[in-house]
C-alpha cells in the first residue's frame, strides 16, 4: 500500500490538478536542496516527500482566484 493514499490526498486538496501542481513545485524545491519539513519520510523520491509534507499539513497552499 502506498503512503499517503490518493483518497487522503484528494480529501485535503480541492482538486487533483491543484494537488499535482503543489507537489511538483515542492518536489522541484526539494531537488534544489530545500530543507525537508518531515522528520522521517517514508519515500526516497522528491515527489513522495512533497506528498508526505502535504498530508502532514507541513505544506500548505493558498488558492488565488485570478479570474475576473
Amino acid at each position: 500500500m502506498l503512503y499517503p493514499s490518493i483518497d487522503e490526498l484528494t480529501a485535503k486538496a480541492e482538486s487533483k490538478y491543484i494537488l499535482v501542481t503543489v507537489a511538483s513545485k515542492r518536489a522541484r524545491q526539494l531537488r534544489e536542496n530545500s530543507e525537508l519539513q518531515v522528520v522521517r519520510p517514508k519515500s526516497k523520491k522528491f515527489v513522495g516527500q512533497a506528498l508526505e509534507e502535504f498530508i502532514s499539513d507541513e505544506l500548505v497552499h493558498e488558492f488565488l482566484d485570478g479570474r475576473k
Side-chain angles (χ1 to χ4, degrees), residues 62-68:
E62 183 178 345
F63 181 70
L64 301 175
D65 190 8
R67 294 178 287 176
K68 291 187 178 187

Side-chain angles (χ1 to χ4, degrees):
M1 181 177 219
L2 298 176
Y3 177 81
S5 74
I6 191 67
D7 295 330
E8 293 175 3
L9 291 168
T10 54
K12 285 192 169 255
E14 289 85 18
S15 71
K16 290 179 186 177
Y17 177 77
I18 291 173
L19 177 65
V20 169
T21 304
V22 170
S24 66
K25 287 183 179 185
R26 180 61 181 147
R28 190 173 297 121
Q29 289 174 350
L30 291 171
R31 187 186 68 207
E32 295 171 353
N33 296 327
S34 181
E35 188 172 327
L36 187 62
Q37 297 179 10
V38 177
V39 178
R40 295 183 58 138
K42 293 182 181 181
S43 180
K44 295 179 182 173
K45 296 184 179 183
F46 296 123
V47 173
Q49 292 172 356
L51 292 173
E52 287 182 40
E53 286 182 351
F54 188 79
I55 201 71
S56 67
D57 291 331
E58 296 294 327
L59 178 63
V60 293
H61 70 283
E62 183 178 345
F63 181 70
L64 301 175
D65 190 8
R67 294 178 287 176
K68 291 187 178 187

